[in-house]
Amino acid sequence: MDTAFLKSLISVVDTGSIAAAAQRENVTASAIRQRITVLETQMGTALLTRVGRGVQPTLKCQNLLPAMRRLVTEASQLTFLANPDAGAGEFRLGAIDTGLTDTVPDLLAQMKSRGLSTELRITPGSSSHLYALLLDEALDAVLCVRPPMTLPKSLVFHELEKQMIGVLQSGDRRAEFLSYDQNSWGGGLCWAAAQSLGAEPKVFCELDALPTIAALIQTGFGWSVVPKWAGLETTFPELNFDPIDGHFRSVGVLYRHHLADHPLIKMLHLMSV
């Protein structure tokens, strides 16, 4: 059974669309359909069913997905083990919004300078969502906020930066309060910091998108309590950031233990502040 075909099926399941999977796999939609047909013939069962304009896995496919993901992951690991210095094969990296702007560009630059042959696939999302994908073996590593729970022994968290948490504003702090999503890992830390200021702020809007919050504040819309990510000063230099004593957000890379010697993980370790 060709693991590339399994990889295509997983892409369809993850994106919910054959067209989106084709774009993700850099092949034609007809090629994706042919691969699914081959898999269904080999397994003797339907794997996808159409729902509206999209598709979703059948119950049998859902039951097989964990094993399929393991096969694809193990195949990628074999490629890496055959040539560890080159970092050959695919590496699936998840990243929160600030990780996409703070860390990913430097990582890509290092990959290019070293001629690393790794096929890097980046998935954006919240820390909790990316963590779930990591547990489901849909990702190899994630750039995220430090998990608030005890980690499985198969995972390792390496801190890249400890970011101060403070008040972000452009003028009058009595304007509307924009809350960094309190249910997110980093947002919960920022909400605790906001409460430490005294009276609990009245939330006008809550969202899990730090660059968007900063952009809104830049227009004079309101104020917020956020972590000081690397791109804050360079992208929004006119905003005022006042640290709140004793409050920080730890961000880093969370990865599978067996990938500790992968060139990309080693590069990320060297990027620690």
Side-chain angles (χ1 to χ4, degrees):
M1 185 173 296
D2 194 329
T3 55
F5 288 16
L6 291 177
K7 181 181 171 186
S8 294
L9 172 61
I10 291 169
S11 291
V12 173
V13 172
D14 289 345
T15 62
S17 162
I18 289 178
Q23 185 175 16
R24 179 173 174 178
E25 295 291 314
N26 197 28
V27 297
T28 64
S30 61
I32 295 291
R33 293 190 186 92
Q34 290 172 6
R35 293 177 179 183
I36 302 302
T37 299
V38 170
L39 288 175
E40 290 180 328
T41 300
Q42 291 176 334
M43 296 184 186
T45 185
L47 297 172
L48 297 175
T49 182
R50 181 165 293 280
V51 177
R53 295 184 178 180
V55 293
Q56 68 179 26
T58 61
L59 179 59
K60 182 64 70 70
C61 183
Q62 290 177 15
N63 293 334
L64 293 172
L65 272 174
M68 292 178 185
R69 292 188 189 278
R70 283 195 296 272
L71 283 172
V72 171
T73 298
E74 289 168 2
S76 179
Q77 291 171 12
L78 283 175
T79 304
F80 165 64
L81 290 173
N83 192 8
D85 292 332
E90 181 186 67
F91 193 92
R92 302 161 302 170
L93 179 68
I96 57 176
D97 53 3
T98 54
L100 289 172
T101 56
D102 287 355
T103 306
V104 169
D106 289 340
L107 180 62
L108 293 175
Q110 288 194 36
M111 288 176 63
K112 183 177 181 180
S113 66
R114 290 184 52 179
L116 201 65
S117 59
T118 301
E119 178 190 347
L120 182 61
R121 184 184 298 280
I122 300 175
T123 299
S126 66
S127 292
S128 58
H129 174 65
L130 297 173
Y131 177 71
L133 292 178
L134 188 64
L135 290 180
D136 199 30
E137 300 188 7
L139 294 174
D140 299 308
V142 298
L143 297 170
C144 64
V145 178
R146 180 186 293 275
M149 73 289 288
T150 300
L151 294 174
K153 293 182 179 179
S154 61
L155 300 180
V156 179
F157 180 81
H158 175 77
E159 182 178 272
L160 297 178
E161 182 182 9
K162 182 169 288 186
Q163 301 170 342
M164 296 181 293
I165 291 175
V167 173
L168 188 68
Q169 58 185 326
S170 61
D172 190 352
R173 210 174 84 186
R174 291 174 296 177
E176 292 84 359
F177 180 73
L178 306 176
S179 179
Y180 178 17
D181 185 5
Q182 299 168 37
N183 293 316
S184 69
W185 294 352
L189 297 172
C190 290
W191 180 246
Q195 290 179 309
S196 74
L197 296 175
E200 184 174 297
K202 183 179 180 181
V203 177
F204 180 79
C205 179
E206 184 175 356
L207 62 164
D208 187 13
L210 289 172
T212 302
I213 290 174
L216 288 170
I217 295 174
Q218 183 173 248
T219 66
F221 189 83
W223 67 286
S224 187
V225 173
V226 300
K228 189 177 183 181
W229 71 95
L232 179 59
E233 288 185 335
T234 56
T235 309
F236 305 97
E238 66 278 15
L239 296 183
N240 300 318
F241 180 87
D242 298 315
I244 301 173
D245 290 341
H247 291 272
F248 300 90
R249 181 183 81 157
S250 172
V251 294
V253 55
L254 179 64
Y255 59 91
R256 299 189 171 281
H257 190 275
H258 67 263
L259 292 174
D261 291 327
H262 194 285
L264 282 179
I265 296 298
K266 290 183 175 180
M267 287 181 186
L268 287 167
H269 272 250
L270 293 174
M271 295 167 66
S272 303
V273 176

